[in-house]
Amino acid sequence: MSAKRNVANGTALALSLAWYLPTGVSAAALSCDLSNYKASDGLEARLGNDAVTVTWQGADAATLRAQFAISNRQPVVRSLEVRKQGGAWATLASDVSPEITVATGRRRLSTQQLVPLRKLGVEATPELIEREKWNVFWDAPLEVPGDPSRNLDTPRKLDEVRRDTSSFDSSGCAVKTNGARLEISFPGLTLGIFSGRLQFTVYRGTNLLRMEAIARTEQDSVAYKYNAGLKGFAIASAPRVVWQDVARSWQKTEFGGSRNTDPVALRARNRLAIVEARGGSIAVFPPSHKFFFAREIEMNLGYVWYRKDDAATFSIGVRQADREEMFRPYGFSDEVWQRRVQQSREYAQGNFALYNAPPGTWQRMAAYFYLSPYDSRATQQAVLAFTHDDRFKAVPGHQVAVSHFHTRFHEQVVDAGSFDFQPPWIPAFRGLGINIAMMSDFSGDGHPNDAGPIRFKEQQAYFEACRRHSDRDFLLMTGEEPVAWLGGHYTTVFPRPVYWSKVREAGKPFVEDVPPYGRVYRTASAEEELEMLEREGGLIWQTHPRTKGSTGYPDAVRNQPHFASARFIGASYQSLPADLSHARICEQRCFGTLDDMNNWAGPKYLLAEGDTYAKFPEDDVYSALIVNYVKLERLPAFDEDWSPILEAIQAGDFFVSTGEVLIPSHSIEGSGARKEIVAQVEWTFPLEFVEVVWGDGKTTGRQIVSATDKAAFGSHQFRIPFDATGKKWVRFAAWDSAGNGAFTQPVHFK
Amino acid sequence: MNAQRIAAGGTALAFALALYLPMGAAAASLSCDLSGYKAADGLEARLTQDAVTVTWQGADAATLRAQFGISNRQPVVRSLEVRGKGGNWATLASNVSPELTVATGKRRMSTQQLLPLRKLGIEATAATPEFIEREKWNVFWDAPLEVPGVAKINLDTPRKPEEVRRDTSAFDSRSCEVRTNGGRLEISFPGLTLGIFSGRLQFTVYRGTNLLRMEAIAKTEQDSVAYKYNAGLKGFSVASAPRVVWQDVARSWQKTEFGGSPNEDPVALRARNRLAIVEARGGSIAVFPPSHKFFFAREIETNLGYVWYRKDTADTFSVGVRQAEREEMYPPYGFADELWKRKVDHSRGFALGNFALYNAPRGTWQRMAAYFYLSPHDSLGTQQAVLAFTHNDRFKAVPGHQVAVSHFHTHFHEQVLDAGSIDFQPPWIPAFRGIGINIAMMSDFHDDGHHDDPGPLRFKEQKAYFDASRRHSDRDFLLMPGEEPAQYFGGHYTTVFPRPVYWSKVRAADKPFVEDVPGYGRVYRTANAEEEFEMLEREGGYIWQTHPRTKGSTLYPDLVRDKPHFLSDRFVGASFQNLPADMSHARICEVRCFGTLDDMNNWAGPKYMLAEGDTYAKFPDDDVYSGILVNYLKLERLPAFDDDWSPILKAIRAGDFFVTTGEVLIPSHSIQGSGSKQEIVAQVEWTFPLEFVEVVWGDGKTTDRQIISATDKAPFGSYQFRIPFDATGKKWVRFAAWDSAGNGAFTQPVHFK
């Protein structure tokens, strides 16, 4: 390093100074554009002869320092250092370099998406296929040849799949101030069919270091996944990588085995591995939700890795797996066992959709590092604070509600021979802090289309099991995803268990008393189904709108009575599809549906759904799940009336959240045209932006307010004035820099 | 409680006094024999009119108090109280009563046990009714509750529904008895009927710990009984104990606050560490089964739920320990269809055929125990206190020792080949490392791979096995690629070498015994026992009989006791595991394992017993600790994979190791003195209150022992036992220590010159 340091103010200056500085034998002068850097307290960049050094204030009065350079046209992290308050600088890593790999395949439409379209008589034109394929769920682009029945244009061919490692031709770097962040980027990145830049971001007030490839492809129909890490850690100064296994036993490697040829995938609890170095630790983890595309299950596939590269060095990073795996099948009876074995295998072979990369979109492939002056245990605590220890934090006056789970509860208790059998998905839910689980039995289990005798018996088992396993702060609501008369897939919930056969044979009444069940319904048409919903105070909403079995929905029913009725709440929300060029989760499909519905009709909402199957305590459920915080002081017991829950949903009194961003309160204040959205927002990762979205009945507009000046672990009351003139409805959302977010429901103006 | 208290001194007195005491409306006077009770500091019993109250000193200067009575001829725990140091008495439970249930079935011999006889062509003559009657008690493949069961696994099948009974405890208790036993008080109630069993119920408290052991001590007169039990306390009040908490298999805290509808069946909790905790006002009550004794050998260690709660009414609940009704399926794996299908069948096969339960030979006093821990602390503090008994379910590091385990069919080479990467980390590695294991002697090629292939396939698979073991070994974790070859020596046995050795178990006539094969280096091919033995000699390998006298080693090593390989130094001895499980025994594997050990040493020179697992797939969420026993090898430094492993093998061959369940440790031991006046000196460390230590010896024909009671020893202790003995006429001697929860440790026989 040169002894003479310069605070560079712009490209030209930096460049010219660099040329004139004396260079060491091995170090070339670094060209770095600092024209967009603004010096500020706790967030400094300094250009030396051959390196740019950023120094920033971290958590708990720690100071962090990272030095970046280019060596052989490859970006290098010359050092990562940390100094705790009153302490000395400790070097956590020296001369480590970014390594990113991608596996790319081809995106295809699923046959599942064509089923509802066919029913609707919609022709699958090339334009429709091109548009809808990006919403696919059942796709596994890396599975060659794959299950030919799942997708169009199969089997897959070997040459569709590419696996590439990053290569660089970096001629310089750029340092940019963005609110309370510094972004240090290196152009000249090639990553197989992608090209772009590599960026590091540091944030004042936290010890986070985000590393990401920002790259695009011009190729059509690309689906991909990535690994990202740092290479070249010295075993001598960082002798150990530790993590907790899926059951939270601490595990380690001390690199005592032979050299690895592949990354060793670690099925680590909380998706977290920690390098123990002299004087501190470096944690590595992927974005806590954004990184995870929708699947049928939440098995921990190993999202972090290490690799011993030679006797003296190793690499670490984040990864996506190569494929789905089989969930643990169950079944005391042979029949259930065989069914679940088959299902487990089918999920593993057909479903692993990866990320979308439409041509020209800037994909952000990120990994987080946390530089800590503490040991691995304290570092773990510091990192887990970003996800509230992988729990949905209790918010006073709210209940955490989730929906749409095909756990086949009635089948499980009947198979086990006891209602008191506690299935493994119950601790999986309760361990996350969930208070209300709206379940969806009878989707590939039981006899959903039975006219009565079997159906009612199965419903009784379902209801009794839910009654048995509900608790004071945990309510199992006996919902369903019936796929009956109303079109597409949808969730039904009632304020109490309701016996209902979806078929009514001629001569059978619509409603009658059947011992020992009491009142039972049988429906023969959409009218009767709606009538039942009305009589029982039930609610419905479209599950996975515009994809899977709801492809073409709710668009196709926007003029139907049930859509227009107050019974039809809206639609569901999940991370499907995943596109890392988007700032929001499910940006187009979900929010597109939400905003359109509100332009078409009265208030319609978006409820978070899981739409997943078997779960186990050792799964990584948190990262895959998005929840609803329903405004409700007191949770009804199972045998009480659940109307307060349904009323809160119907009133839009809930916000949806990945967990890291919370909106404990929000309101619209003011009158006439001069109004203001007032929203209390709380976050963990540095916030990215908040937005007000509105519609005029035809189009949707938005105002985005940057929040990059907000520090990590903050709370702020946003007041955003807007002109209500010509606006039909308005809603609020907040998104953080790791891709997590929360949003409130649309409020319509009278 | 009656204001007048009596420190009763004997049955007659207590009885007489009780008759003369005024009786309340509801409370009958209690007859209790205190003749075996001796008042002692920190361990007191007092008889009042309708109850006997025991008060004892617990851990951390806490005082515990339990009051027992009889109501409608049923024993009742009137109260469980605790007082923390300097605090007030807190009532943790009132009027709870014992509830035990048993499921009983019929013990059968397995066809697996007959295979070795069949191989030798002696099945017709050797498999006599007497033989079957004796050997059936050593069965592994039996599932007495599975009706009709899988065909051909057992003799005399299918099972019939009427073989299986499920019964709940019934009492006709007219009195109780309080007895001092060292640092303990035992309070027992006769008149227990438990289906086909009858006997008594006993509570035991121990000075120095907050443990309360509850057990049925009962016997049956029926033949061929295999059974399992649940044991718990009924009648906890939701109002004063509003919550039961536990950690799930992944250590997330879970709870029930009894907000659901009442249960009909016990709710099995798949709790980490086999532990549930009742949160009461002023403290907690933990419940858990014995940490090893409770667990009969299985193929896998899936947590089947060993504790339970049951909401009985809107206001009351029960908690206890349980054994499951059946084995479950481990999660099958396999990226390739072929492997997936094989693992699916394998997983299902284990679940349907294997769940042996406990032996209850006629007339044996079976002890069906549950532990309660009465704590003045919250559930987290209570959890920590209970986990101390098992060192947090880890095999505690002992200076100068390495923790070694053996005999695991995890099919490692198959897994890495299937995954397409030697760097694939299988789930059994964190399962092992999470419990503190340093050396795992593995046994691939046991219904995986091509173990009888003459070379090309076999060597390739061995290479994958060796490379994977090399890759995943670490500085404090060595994977030794051993095997259980079942080849020329008879029965099943483990082989280990001081390095990876390529070896095909078959040799075509035109192939050499040893040659260099490119890609592998030196490879062996063996055609008979002589060649196999020659290979062991050349390579410095060792063998020992796995599961002696049962499974595929039925009649072994007895049948080979005169063979050269048995008599040689290469034959270390045999393996030890909790098979069969018999709750009337004070030791684990008392008859089969120690019988083999002691016989071998009478027959020949020093032979040892190494703990084995003999299990298959494992996962971090399994309950592996309770299913495994380990060897503590005296070895300062662990060799790296590419180092020479001879120091490990030398320590084994020298008998420089002790076997343990983990709770009892023998960090050092020696024989001192000379001539006939010698002394065993053993440093013993324990957690649960110790039960006894023993010196066992043989004269070349018979075995004998000296048992020294250790019931006076406080829990979490350490003591140097010095036991003098007369060496005259003794060929060898060994030492063992067993605790009151059925855990133990033993050293290897030392032969006199």
Side-chain angles (χ1 to χ4, degrees), chain A residues 81-101:
Chain A
E81 296 167 284
V82 61
R83 184 177 67 185
K84 64 179 146 190
Q85 190 172 24
W89 282 105
T91 301
L92 302 178
S94 302
D95 295 314
V96 289
S97 40
E99 180 189 284
I100 297 165
T101 62

Side-chain angles (χ1 to χ4, degrees), chain A residues 274-288:
Chain A
I274 304 173
V275 178
E276 289 190 354
R278 282 205 209 105
S281 312
I282 301 179
V284 59
F285 52 98
S288 45

